[in-house]
Amino acid sequence: DRRKHGIIWSGIYNSISGLNNTNQFIAGEAITKELNPSHGSIQALKARDNRLVMFCEDKVLKAETNRDLLFNADGNSQVVASTAVVGAATTYQGDFGISKNPESLVATPYRMYFTDANRGKVLALTTEGVSVISDAGMKTYFADYMANGVSKAIGSYDEFKSEYNLTLNQKADISNPTPDNQTTISYSEKSKGWVSFKTFRPEKVDVSSLGLQGGISLNNKYFTFFDGHIWLHHATASANNFYGESTDSDITLIFNDMPDVVKSFMYLSYEGSNSRITNWDNESTFADGVNMFTGDSTDSSGATAG
């Protein structure tokens, strides 16, 4: 029996007393929790403090663990002690879910990131509820990219840079069964926006009990997986070197197209192994025979005319 809209739990496990009832499912006890089928199938479960967060295809819910909710006549709820393993389930506001990409779910100490490919959104879950972080300057980009479906949405968190790295694989066309469009983009918690495209494409692997992961942070170090091997990021001074291959950097500046509006821009910082600066200090940098510094022109023989 594949239970898409509900969960079932076994007996308790206590390593101190040596009690192990994980192979017991007593039908006479309340060991199941059913959710509304309209929310879609349950794709991921995440324990946060004293509650269980349930990510369905079209909804995100939370339920108290080892406690229950008693609803008053006015609709307000009160937490009461209970023997129920999973208490009453309530939904977060917003018609968002995790679609069928549980590999996009990443938990940090303060929030959880995930994608809703069916709606073309990237989301963050905090104690205040679900917020759409893809609207931070990238609303149209993600909506267009996910319009035809996403086969994989691999999420990972770089604790060293405080960034959520999301790798998207578009679904292949019927005539081309091999996915040929991949991208990795980073969301910064410090900047509250999308700060960079990345050239590395991690693999989706099962890391012990952590579930499906494309990368993991441990002791302020960031690891990803590629071709069956583990890769440590930020380990060398060489920039843009991932999985033994080096790539170039480029910067695209985007300006508001409303010239009559006064704008203020944040500073631009540069980080890398070697700067790439073109020196305009010799005759080889003359453009169309005109010195860009003095305005003097040169003929074919190289003579300069003032």
Side-chain angles (χ1 to χ4, degrees):
D1 184 14
R2 186 176 295 275
R3 310 177 69 89
K4 296 181 179 179
H5 315 292
I7 56 178
I8 185 172
W9 51 87
S10 66
I12 64 174
Y13 171 79
N14 191 324
S15 60
I16 298 177
S17 62
L19 180 64
N20 185 1
N21 291 335
T22 55
N23 63 335
Q24 294 185 7
F25 295 86
I26 303 176
E29 298 180 358
I31 58 174
T32 61
K33 168 65 66 175
E34 295 293 332
L35 302 180
N36 192 332
S38 63
H39 300 329
S41 62
I42 300 175
Q43 294 289 316
L45 300 173
K46 196 68 177 180
R48 299 289 276 187
D49 298 328
N50 58 350
R51 68 181 55 181
L52 180 67
V53 182
M54 295 168 281
F55 294 87
C56 301
E57 292 183 51
D58 302 310
K59 207 71 174 178
V60 182
L61 304 93
K62 59 182 177 180
E64 301 290 332
T65 55
N66 297 321
R67 297 188 299 177
D68 208 343
L69 297 178
L70 177 64
F71 290 91
N72 302 326
D74 57 0
N76 295 324
S77 60
Q78 295 179 352
V79 179
V80 296
S82 172
T83 57
V85 176
V86 180
T90 58
T91 61
Y92 285 98
Q93 291 186 352
D95 292 328
F96 302 112
I98 200 171
S99 296
K100 291 188 177 181
N101 301 107
E103 70 276 4
S104 66
L105 177 61
V106 171
T108 71
Y110 303 103
R111 55 186 57 85
M112 288 186 282
Y113 298 101
F114 59 101
T115 64
D116 189 347
N118 291 340
R119 295 170 177 83
K121 303 290 186 181
V122 184
L123 309 159
L125 176 63
T126 63
T127 55
E128 299 177 354
V130 179
S131 59
V132 184
I133 61 175
S134 57
D135 287 352
M138 299 289 286
K139 179 179 180 180
T140 304
Y141 174 84
F142 283 108
D144 294 342
Y145 198 96
M146 300 180 183
N148 296 325
V150 174
S151 60
K152 294 180 182 178
I154 305 174
S156 61
Y157 183 71
D158 187 351
E159 189 178 278
F160 182 78
K161 288 182 174 282
S162 300
E163 292 179 353
Y164 170 60
N165 294 325
L166 176 63
T167 301
L168 297 175
N169 292 17
Q170 285 184 323
K171 284 187 177 179
D173 187 79
I174 298 177
S175 60
N176 182 18
T178 303
D180 57 354
N181 198 353
Q182 298 178 332
T183 185
T184 299
I185 187 170
S186 300
Y187 177 84
S188 173
E189 292 185 348
K190 297 178 181 178
S191 302
K192 303 299 180 183
W194 301 91
V195 295
S196 178
F197 287 92
K198 303 292 179 63
T199 56
F200 66 87
R201 311 285 187 262
E203 291 179 343
K204 181 176 68 173
V205 297
D206 189 357
V207 186
S208 183
S209 61
L210 299 178
L212 297 174
Q213 298 282 335
I216 187 173
S217 290
L218 179 64
N219 296 333
N220 208 33
K221 294 182 179 180
Y222 179 54
F223 302 89
T224 60
F225 309 91
F226 180 77
D227 198 20
H229 296 83
I230 188 170
W231 177 269
L232 173 61
H233 292 251
H234 318 305
T236 63
S238 300
N240 296 346
N241 186 290
F242 303 108
Y243 313 133
E245 297 183 2
S246 297
T247 57
D248 295 329
S249 296
D250 63 86
I251 300 175
T252 302
L253 300 178
I254 302 175
F255 292 93
N256 196 320
D257 58 353
M258 295 183 292
D260 57 332
V261 178
V262 179
K263 311 171 188 66
S264 60
F265 298 95
M266 298 178 62
Y267 68 90
L268 180 66
S269 60
Y270 171 81
E271 181 180 353
S273 55
N274 293 312
S275 61
R276 186 174 181 178
I277 301 175
T278 303
N279 296 320
W280 302 89
D281 55 0
N282 53 56
E283 294 185 0
S284 64
T285 59
F286 286 12
D288 297 329
V290 178
N291 191 315
M292 299 181 63
F293 294 101
T294 64
D296 297 337
S297 61
T298 59
D299 55 21
S300 58
S301 62
T304 301

